[in-house]
Amino acid sequence: MAKLVLLSEGLTGRSYELKVDRTTVGRVDDNAFQITEPSVSSHHCEILLRGSDVVVKDLNSTNGTFINGEKTAEAVLKPGQILRLGQIEMRLESTTATTAAGPTEKKKLDQTAVIPQGVKLNELETGTKPVSLEKDSGFQKKSNKANIVFLSVAIGLGIIIVAILAYTLLSRKAG
């Protein structure tokens, strides 16, 4: 028996067993496998069981159907491959213990990790190794010369403007 396991953040771990010959996948509730996400079309694709093959057929979806990153209208999906509908990714897994590759294939699928989108703030605070800012490292502290020059010019212009205003006010009072 084959099943689709969702990998996208927020839907991780959710799965759907492919038990019948034709399974519709889409955003609306009349699909056998409903995925309520805006990038998934209302009737996005069909999953067809043809003998031992799992065939994915796009139903003219807006954001496309992709197998391992390649857009497809209809193609065979093999265990371990990634199916993407819009922005949602899922992997086909075979629940049968007897595969041609044997137990190593099952172990390989179990080690797949879900990578979250973006970096979380707590991940930034707990880095894996310290960064050296020594002169010989690839990273060096930026020079503050540009900031010092800018600040000096700004102060100088401020003093000149104040002096001109003071001169103008004093010359009007005297005149």
Side-chain angles (χ1 to χ4, degrees):
M1 179 91 36
K3 69 177 177 178
L4 292 170
V5 178
L6 290 166
L7 303 174
S8 296
E9 192 171 353
L11 301 171
T12 306
R14 184 175 161 207
S15 65
Y16 185 84
E17 283 196 32
L18 302 171
K19 298 177 184 176
V20 295
D21 292 340
R22 181 180 172 268
T23 303
T24 57
V25 183
R27 192 177 64 245
V28 295
D29 60 3
D30 66 348
N31 289 288
F33 185 21
Q34 182 184 14
I35 303 173
T36 54
E37 206 279 332
S39 67
V40 176
S41 293
S42 57
H43 297 96
H44 201 102
C45 70
E46 290 179 328
I47 311 291
L48 307 167
L49 298 180
R50 293 185 183 156
S52 62
D53 288 339
V54 176
V55 178
V56 178
K57 181 178 179 185
D58 185 75
L59 298 175
N60 296 320
S61 62
T62 303
N63 294 317
T65 299
F66 299 82
I67 295 177
N68 284 349
E70 292 189 32
K71 191 170 186 173
T72 183
E74 184 173 334
V76 174
L77 180 65
K78 296 183 173 144
Q81 288 187 317
I82 303 297
L83 172 64
R84 181 167 55 90
L85 310 178
Q87 297 297 317
I88 301 299
E89 289 188 340
M90 58 193 83
R91 179 181 59 237
L92 179 67
E93 291 186 358
S94 177
T95 56
T96 57
T98 56
T99 61
T104 55
E105 179 71 20
K106 178 74 173 151
K107 187 177 247 184
K108 183 178 170 186
L109 292 176
D110 288 344
Q111 294 176 350
T112 302
V114 176
I115 300 172
Q117 297 174 349
V119 177
K120 307 277 187 286
L121 179 61
N122 62 349
E123 291 171 350
L124 292 174
E125 293 169 354
T126 58
T128 55
K129 59 178 158 174
V131 176
S132 172
L133 297 178
E134 301 298 322
K135 285 188 176 185
D136 294 338
S137 74
F139 301 98
Q140 295 179 0
K141 186 176 178 181
K142 286 178 75 175
S143 169
N144 281 336
K145 280 186 176 178
N147 290 342
I148 292 171
V149 169
F150 176 77
L151 191 58
S152 299
V153 170
I155 290 172
L157 285 175
I159 291 172
I160 292 171
I161 291 172
V162 169
I164 292 172
L165 287 173
Y167 176 76
T168 305
L169 288 173
L170 290 174
S171 65
R172 282 190 180 181
K173 283 186 181 179

